[in-house]
């Protein structure tokens, strides 16, 4: 899943593709590099971000989705609002990627259900401007058990709204109301989330926990645009763990790495067959 941020303030590429023409061009580049899905978003969810007006978000994403879907791309809309989801689906999107899992706007579940769209429910506790206040996981089983249980509740809500089980994808929500250690604990133990019975989408690309992992000797985190190697390495590990998809900013390096992995797996299968 290639990221197309049509925003002025996203943490990794805010402003680079904020206008319609550059966002469409960027989406086409990601497709050429091997993206299976283009995830178009018009609201930044970086820590501390404030929300745009509904009209602003609609104006950012709908023309871009229309153009990219018109090119034949599989398009996802990254939104928490039912109005935006409905307009995006009408413009040609087929996936609703809701970082709130329906908590910010429960009406989005019915919109996805009525359209027969694939729905991605992410683990979420609060909006970006105060989500750090909710990064506490002190119960039995820690963050893995909490995310599993809270995602299970979102599964129930999605199914109750009419979303088909085979069209439901879950996301552990790395970095959303989670500290670095929480992200690593989730990545190290995806099994309980996979046991919920739905595919997993993981978005780790360029996130701050990778920047801290790669910090300089003086503790300065690695710059956002210099975290691609770590993102690619993690994508390979996630593919080996059986996730459904990885959400990345730089598609080519991830696609190349996954091709290497696929070639090795094919060779192993051939040796076993022989």
């Amino acid at each position: 899943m290639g990221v197309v941020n049509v925003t002025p303030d996203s943490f990794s590429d805010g402003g680079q593709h904020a206008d319609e023409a550059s966002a469409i061009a960027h989406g086409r580049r990601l497709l050429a590099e091997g993206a299976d899905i283009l995830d178009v978003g018009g609201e930044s969810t970086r820590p501390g971000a404030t929300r745009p007006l509904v009209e602003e978000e609609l104006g950012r994403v709908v023309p871009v989705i229309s153009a990219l879907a018109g090119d034949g791309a599989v398009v996802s809309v990254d939104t928490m609002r039912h109005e935006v989801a409905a307009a995006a689906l009408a413009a040609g999107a087929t996936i609703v990627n809701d970082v709130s899992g329906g908590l910010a706007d429960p009406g989005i579940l019915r919109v996805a259900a009525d359209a027969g769209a694939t729905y991605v429910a992410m683990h979420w506790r609060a909006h970006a401007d105060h989500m750090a206040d909710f990064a506490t996981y002190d119960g039995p089983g820690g963050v893995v058990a909490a995310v599993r249980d809270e995602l299970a509740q979102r599964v129930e809500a999605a199914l109750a709204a009419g979303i088909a089980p085979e069209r439901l994808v879950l996301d552990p929500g790395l970095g959303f109301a989670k500290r670095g250690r929480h992200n690593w604990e989730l990545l190290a133990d995806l099994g309980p989330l996979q046991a919920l019975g739905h595919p997993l989408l993981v978005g780790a690309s360029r996130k701050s926990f990778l920047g801290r992992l790669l910090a300089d000797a003086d503790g300065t985190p690695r710059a956002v645009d210099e975290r691609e190697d770590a993102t690619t390495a993690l994508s390979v590990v996630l593919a080996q763990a059986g996730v459904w998809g990885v959400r990345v900013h730089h598609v080519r390096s991830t696609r190349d790495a996954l091709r290497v992995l696929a070639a090795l797996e094919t060779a192993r299968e051939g040796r076993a067959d022989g």
Side-chain angles (χ1 to χ4, degrees):
M1 178 182 280
V3 179
V4 182
N5 285 326
V6 195
T7 59
D9 56 346
S10 291
F11 83 95
S12 65
D13 56 2
Q16 293 183 22
H17 316 297
D19 66 273
E20 178 181 336
S22 62
I24 293 169
H26 180 60
R28 288 170 174 163
R29 282 193 298 271
L30 296 182
L31 276 179
E33 291 175 0
D36 297 303
I37 302 166
L38 297 178
D39 192 39
V40 180
E43 175 180 354
S44 173
T45 51
R46 64 174 174 77
T50 56
R51 307 196 72 189
L53 298 174
V54 175
E55 292 77 12
E56 287 181 288
E57 188 179 350
L58 285 166
R60 291 171 182 176
V61 302
V62 170
V64 176
I65 289 170
S66 180
L68 294 174
D71 289 344
V74 177
V75 179
S76 162
V77 59
D78 180 358
T79 186
M80 293 181 272
R81 290 169 162 149
H82 77 274
E83 304 97 327
V84 178
L89 293 168
T94 56
I95 301 170
V96 176
N97 182 16
D98 177 6
V99 300
S100 82
L103 289 171
D105 181 355
I108 200 170
L109 299 174
R110 179 59 64 185
V111 167
D114 289 348
T118 294
Y119 180 76
V120 181
M122 195 190 80
H123 178 263
W124 183 90
R125 286 183 164 181
H127 285 292
D129 58 350
H130 62 290
M131 65 182 174
D133 298 335
F134 295 85
T136 302
Y137 301 91
D138 296 332
V143 66
V144 174
V147 170
R148 177 201 62 207
D149 293 347
E150 290 170 33
L151 278 178
Q153 294 172 6
R154 304 322 306 152
V155 169
E156 291 181 9
L159 298 180
I163 295 172
E166 66 273 15
R167 293 191 177 277
L168 181 59
V169 177
L170 304 178
D171 183 335
L174 301 181
F176 287 79
K178 297 172 189 72
R179 306 197 186 283
R181 68 180 183 278
H182 299 140
N183 297 327
W184 289 116
E185 289 168 13
L186 284 164
L187 289 167
D189 193 10
L190 292 173
L193 307 187
Q194 291 171 314
L196 293 173
H198 299 278
L200 288 186
L201 171 69
V202 179
S205 183
R206 298 181 177 178
K207 289 192 172 178
S208 59
F209 75 103
L210 295 178
R212 289 192 293 272
L213 174 72
L214 306 172
D216 295 340
D218 65 0
T220 303
R222 181 76 60 84
V224 169
D225 59 356
E226 295 178 4
R227 302 171 187 171
E228 294 300 347
D229 292 344
T231 297
T232 300
L234 185 53
S235 295
V236 171
V237 173
L238 291 168
Q240 291 174 315
V243 305
W244 172 79
V246 289
R247 185 178 183 274
V248 300
H249 295 83
H250 193 277
V251 166
R252 182 175 179 178
S253 59
T254 302
R255 174 58 71 191
D256 288 352
L258 295 179
R259 283 175 175 159
V260 170
L261 178 62
L264 287 171
E265 291 177 345
T266 298
R268 291 188 185 108
E269 292 169 1
R271 185 167 60 245
D273 292 342

